[in-house]
Amino acid sequence: MPLHDPAHAFVPYPDVPVPHAPTGPLADLSFAAKDLFDVAGYPTGGGSPIVLAMSGIKSCTAPTVQKLLDAGARFTGKTVTDELAFSMNGNNAHFGAPINGAAKDRITGGSSSGSASAVSSSLCDFALGTDTGGSVRAPANHCGLYGLRPTHGRVSLEGALDLAPSFDTCGWFARDIGTFARVADVLLGADTPALPERVRLLGPDDVWGLAAPAATKALQGVIDRVQGLLGPAQGTTVAMESFDAMYWNFRYLQSREAWLTDGPLIERYAPPLGPGVAERFAWSRDVTDAQVVAARVFRTAFRAHLAALLGTDGVLLMPTMPDIAPLRSESEAGLEDYRNRAIRMLCIAGLSGFPQLSMPLASRDGAPLGISLLGPAGSDRSLIQLAERIAAG
C-alpha cells in the first residue's frame, strides 16, 4: 500500500514488490486491485477477517491483474472491499469506510469502495473492481468516475473470490475517459460485432421514473448534449412485468448464489458479520428452490426481452443510480432503503448480462452524478467509444 493513504482506501498489507513490464501500452500508469483478486506475495482477504486468516500468501496472480502488469502498469496495492463483497455502501465493519475523494462527506458506495476511493483521491490512475449487483456502477456514480460493468464473462475473474458467479463481473474505474479507454484496449480488445457508427438511442421512461426528480433535473443538460451528438432518444420501457418483479427475481438468484458461495464458511465459523451484511446472508439462507426456479425462468425471458429491444444498434441512456451518494451520516435503515431503490435500476444489466458504462458528467449539491450507456451483449468497447465522443463533444 502507499506510504501515504489519507483516503483509507488500501488494505494495510506489508509492501511486496510486484514485477511489471518496463514498457507497454499502460507503462506510465499505476493501478490498484480490489482485495478479491489474487496477487502473488499477498493474501486475499475479501473484506473478511476469517477469509483473510484462511487465505495464506498467494503464489499466483489473477490473469486479469497479470494482463495489466504485462502491459506495463505499476501495481500500488490491494484496496478495501465491503465484507464478502455483499454490500453497496462502502463501510466495512472490520476495515473501515474509505473516503470518497469527490465528496468527502458522502459514502463511496461499495463493494468496490477502496478502488473507487483510491482513484477519486488520485492515489492511483485506475483500479480494478467487481460488479455483481452494482459494485462498480454505484461507486463510479458516487465518486465521479468512469466505471464499467462489462458483458458477463468478458473479463476474466479467474483467481478472484466469488460472490454470485452468474452475476459477478470484473470492471474498473478511471477519472478520465482517455485512461479508461487505454485499459479497455488491454482488457477488452475489439467488440465482435461492434455497434454501428450511428446508434439508436433509447430513453427508458420507466427507468428515469426511478430517479430522484432533483437528479433528473441535474442530468438534463447531459441528456441534451448526448442527444445533440447521437440523435434524439426514442422513448421506451425496459422493465418486464414490474420493477418489483425485476428486483425480487434478481435478489432470489443473487442471494441463493451468495449463500452457496459463503454459507458454508458462515455456518462453520459463525464469523461476526457487519450491519446489513449479516441480515442479507440470513435472508439468503432462506431463499427457496421454488423461488430460484421461477427466477431463472424470469431471467431467461428478460434477457430475450432486452436483446429484442436493443437489437444490434440500440443503446439505453439512463441514470446510473437514483441520486448522488448518501451522506456518511445516513442511518443504516436509510442506506438500506437507498440500496433497494438502486437495485431496481441496477438489476437491468445484472439480469441481462449486458454491459453498462457509467460516465461522471453531472453533479448536484457539490456531489458527482453519473449517467449510463447500456448496450447489447458484447458492445462494451463500442460504449466506451461513444463515451469518448460524448466527452470530446
Side-chain angles (χ1 to χ4, degrees):
M1 62 172 283
L3 291 175
H4 186 54
D5 179 20
H8 312 297
F10 291 85
V11 184
Y13 294 135
D15 277 336
V16 176
V18 177
H20 62 90
T23 60
L26 305 180
D28 57 332
L29 300 179
S30 62
F31 79 103
K34 185 177 184 176
D35 194 23
L36 300 182
F37 292 89
D38 290 348
V39 177
Y42 288 83
T44 300
S48 162
I50 192 77
V51 173
L52 176 57
M54 296 169 65
S55 165
I57 301 299
K58 302 301 181 183
S59 58
C60 295
T61 295
T64 294
V65 176
Q66 191 61 51
K67 267 191 176 183
L68 299 170
L69 296 167
D70 292 345
R74 178 174 57 85
F75 180 72
T76 58
K78 301 190 80 176
T79 53
V80 172
T81 174
D82 287 15
E83 189 172 11
L84 298 170
F86 204 11
S87 179
M88 213 180 287
N89 295 333
N91 187 9
N92 187 307
H94 315 287
F95 294 93
I99 302 297
N100 182 339
K104 291 181 170 57
D105 59 339
R106 297 183 180 273
I107 67 170
T108 55
S111 62
S112 306
S113 53
S115 291
S117 171
V119 177
S120 65
S121 301
S122 298
L123 300 176
C124 58
D125 296 308
F126 69 95
L128 286 180
T130 62
D131 189 309
T132 301
S135 291
V136 165
R137 291 163 292 162
N141 177 84
H142 294 351
C143 297
L145 303 172
Y146 287 90
L148 175 73
R149 176 196 167 87
T151 300
H152 186 264
R154 181 152 180 182
V155 183
S156 173
L157 278 171
E158 182 185 342
L161 294 174
D162 294 334
L163 175 61
S166 77
F167 294 101
D168 295 346
T169 61
C170 173
W172 68 97
F173 303 98
R175 292 182 297 277
D176 64 274
I177 190 61
T179 300
F180 196 89
R182 290 171 62 190
V183 177
D185 288 340
V186 171
L187 293 185
L188 295 176
D191 290 340
T192 52
L195 288 170
E197 180 65 24
R198 185 166 183 82
V199 299
R200 184 166 46 90
L201 196 65
L202 299 170
D205 301 314
D206 54 348
V207 182
W208 282 99
L210 298 174
T216 301
K217 183 178 180 183
L219 288 166
Q220 189 57 55
V222 180
I223 297 168
D224 294 343
R225 180 170 144 202
V226 173
Q227 290 186 120
L229 284 166
L230 304 181
Q234 304 169 25
T236 190
T237 57
V238 167
M240 195 172 77
E241 294 185 18
S242 68
F243 278 111
D244 281 352
M246 301 269 290
Y247 168 87
W248 286 113
N249 283 292
F250 172 81
R251 278 204 68 188
Y252 292 144
L253 292 172
Q254 182 200 36
S255 298
R256 167 57 64 87
E257 292 186 26
W259 186 252
L260 289 174
T261 297
D262 292 313
L265 176 143
I266 291 167
E267 291 198 316
R268 179 175 179 183
Y269 296 103
L273 298 171
V277 178
E279 290 80 2
R280 278 189 284 283
F281 274 113
W283 191 88
S284 298
R285 182 187 57 218
D286 297 331
V287 171
T288 68
D289 290 346
Q291 288 168 331
V292 171
V293 168
R296 286 175 179 155
V297 171
F298 183 93
R299 174 165 64 178
T300 299
F302 177 70
R303 188 176 290 152
H305 160 73
L306 190 59
L309 179 69
L310 296 178
T312 58
D313 63 345
V315 174
L316 296 175
L317 180 66
M318 55 187 269
T320 302
M321 292 287 280
D323 204 352
I324 55 176
L327 292 166
R328 288 169 69 93
S329 58
E330 181 63 73
S331 68
E332 190 65 35
L335 290 173
E336 189 66 12
D337 175 66
Y338 182 82
R339 178 181 189 273
N340 289 330
R341 287 167 54 208
I343 287 173
R344 285 165 167 78
M345 189 177 282
L346 294 162
C347 72
I348 296 165
L351 285 167
S352 65
F354 294 177
Q356 181 180 346
L357 174 67
S358 183
M359 306 176 291
L361 300 181
S363 64
R364 80 172 193 86
D365 289 350
L369 184 62
I371 193 167
S372 280
L373 302 172
L374 190 153
S379 65
D380 313 50
R381 193 62 187 85
S382 298
L383 295 180
I384 295 166
Q385 288 169 341
L386 287 176
E388 291 176 290
R389 285 173 58 190
I390 292 165

